[in-house]
């Protein structure tokens, strides 16, 4: 392997990807595994866990899974301790687990708002806090937070999600600021619109077989003229998880096909 490619190697590293039973998390875990990392992931239910383990095995990835709700600090601490005992302390953390609720703010309950903040923002604090002590002791670590277009932009019905993802951008910058001196890098990946279960409602074909209006809207707003695939995020994840990014800190790397740079195609 050439010297430059060695900078992208994750050989021997333990990578925890939260919420990686499917979707973006699964693809990121697959990319990190291809670069040599040992993969650990979590989700909340046994059904998703069983399918995910089979899917990882089918890809030749010996992933270890934990049933763990990232909003429950006691569960997270127990998972991180088990990982350390069984595989070694976490070298790479990807805070990927997340939900969205698309409800007009005036109609959204406080409980719904709080649940999105809890999973999409507070959980990143909880899991990062659980892995930081070992990273500090090793004076080495990578934390990658999965942000969003909504870390920069608003839109109707996603007030809670945008608040969480905007906060996650600043949590990323603050972890970078506070722990950069321990050789810990904390960066974000800001996916554009990616074809996963989370965005399936926005891509549903209409009764007449035509595209969903939002689907057409995103195509017109994206210079690449397509939705992203989870696999489009693999390279950014490997880069930010590897020594190649040791002097990159507090950066949000947008992988969005150009949406943030583009005013949108004239109708
Ligand atoms: P997804 O298909 O809905 O997957 C979300 C994952 O998060 C699932 O594996 C789910 O597992 C897990 N999860 C949710 N709440 C959890 C909790 N409390 N504890 C543990 N796991 C939990 O979503 P996705 O599209 O892959 O998105 C993944 C991340 O990327 C999210 O943070 C999302 O906000 C972000 N993102 C997505 C897009 C997009 O266009 N798709 C774009 C930008 C950013 P279980 O339900 O099985 O527990
Ligand atoms: C929405 C979408 C977006 C994507 C993603 C874009 O309803 O607007 O779900 O929020 O999930 O976050 O980056």
């Amino acid at each position: 392997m050439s010297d430059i490619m060695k900078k992208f190697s994750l050989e021997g590293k333990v990578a925890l990807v939260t919420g990686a039973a499917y979707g973006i998390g699964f693809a990121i875990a697959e990319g990190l595994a291809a670069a040599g990392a040992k993969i650990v992931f979590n989700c909340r239910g046994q059904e998703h866990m069983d399918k995910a383990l089979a899917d990882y095995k089918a890809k030749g990835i010996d992933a270890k899974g934990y049933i763990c709700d990232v909003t429950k600090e006691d569960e997270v601490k127990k998972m991180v301790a088990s990982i350390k005992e069984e595989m070694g302390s976490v070298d790479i953390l990807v805070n990927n687990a997340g939900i969205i609720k698309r409800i007009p703010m005036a109609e959204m309950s406080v409980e719904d708002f709080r649940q999105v903040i809890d999973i999409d923002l507070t959980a990143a604090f909880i899991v990062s806090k659980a892995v930081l002590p070992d990273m500090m002791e090793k004076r080495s670590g990578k934390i990658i937070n999965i942000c969003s277009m909504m870390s920069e932009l608003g839109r109707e019905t996603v007030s809670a999600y945008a608040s969480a993802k905007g906060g996650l951008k600043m949590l990323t910058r603050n972890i970078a600021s506070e722990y950069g001196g321990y050789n810990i890098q904390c960066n974000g990946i800001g996916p554009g619109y990616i074809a996963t279960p989370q965005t399936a409602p926005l891509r549903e074909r209409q009764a007449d077989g035509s595209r969903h209006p939002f689907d057409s809207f995103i195509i017109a707003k994206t210079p690449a003229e397509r939705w992203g695939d989870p696999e489009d995020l693999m390279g950014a994840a490997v880069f930010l998880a590897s020594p190649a990014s040791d002097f990159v800190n507090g950066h949000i790397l947008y992988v969005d096909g150009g949406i943030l740079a583009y005013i949108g195609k004239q109708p």
Side-chain angles (χ1 to χ4, degrees):
M1 183 188 296
S2 66
D3 286 350
I4 188 63
M5 288 316 292
K6 285 176 186 167
K7 282 185 173 294
F8 292 86
S9 171
L10 305 179
E11 285 299 333
K13 300 292 187 184
V14 175
L16 169 59
V17 185
T18 67
Y22 49 86
I24 286 173
F26 185 93
I28 285 178
E30 189 181 349
L32 300 181
K38 291 180 279 186
I39 300 303
V40 194
F41 72 101
N42 73 294
C43 63
R44 289 168 292 183
Q46 195 59 49
E47 182 184 350
H48 286 170
M49 177 59 70
D50 293 343
K51 182 172 186 316
L53 289 170
D55 291 344
Y56 279 114
K57 188 175 181 181
K59 296 269 187 183
I61 300 169
D62 182 21
K64 182 157 183 57
Y66 288 85
I67 301 289
C68 173
D69 183 332
V70 290
T71 65
K72 305 284 192 297
E73 189 171 28
D74 57 336
E75 291 184 23
V76 169
K77 284 181 172 178
K78 187 177 173 187
M79 172 176 67
V80 170
S82 298
I83 294 168
K84 183 175 181 179
E85 190 177 319
E86 295 167 22
M87 301 173 73
S89 60
V90 174
D91 299 295
I92 300 159
L93 167 63
V94 181
N95 284 308
N96 167 77
I99 66 167
I100 192 167
K101 288 182 182 288
R102 302 182 181 97
I103 305 167
M105 182 176 153
E107 300 164 27
M108 181 181 278
S109 70
V110 172
E111 291 73 23
D112 276 337
F113 186 90
R114 284 195 175 121
Q115 186 187 15
V116 174
I117 297 291
D118 218 15
I119 296 171
D120 294 14
L121 176 57
T122 310
F125 165 81
I126 290 170
V127 187
S128 300
K129 187 166 175 272
V131 303
L132 271 171
D134 285 323
M135 289 183 174
M136 290 164 73
E137 188 176 329
K138 292 186 293 189
R139 300 193 71 81
S140 172
K142 298 283 188 180
I143 298 175
I144 301 168
N145 293 321
I146 306 303
C147 297
S148 160
M149 296 289 95
M150 279 47 227
S151 296
E152 303 293 345
L153 304 169
R155 84 172 186 86
E156 298 78 6
T157 77
V158 296
S159 60
Y161 185 83
S163 301
K165 294 298 186 180
L168 188 58
K169 174 175 74 172
M170 287 315 302
L171 178 62
T172 301
R173 289 178 176 164
N174 214 77
I175 293 171
S177 305
E178 197 164 358
Y179 296 99
Y182 289 90
N183 186 34
I184 295 168
Q185 292 82 46
C186 181
N187 293 288
I189 291 174
Y193 280 81
I194 312 296
T196 71
Q198 192 241 53
T199 56
L202 306 175
R203 292 177 283 107
E204 273 171 9
R205 286 285 170 177
Q206 304 299 279
D208 64 2
S210 62
R211 281 181 182 273
H212 188 294
F214 195 89
D215 183 355
S216 303
F217 167 68
I218 289 303
I219 299 293
K221 278 285 287 177
T222 308
E225 296 183 354
R226 67 174 176 89
W227 285 71
D229 294 315
E231 292 72 22
D232 286 318
L233 301 167
M234 286 177 169
V238 169
F239 168 62
L240 292 176
S242 73
S245 62
D246 280 355
F247 204 55
V248 178
N249 213 2
H251 182 73
I252 311 299
L253 178 51
Y254 286 98
V255 184
D256 66 355
I259 291 182
L260 283 180
Y262 185 39
I263 195 170
K265 193 180 296 301
Q266 182 179 348

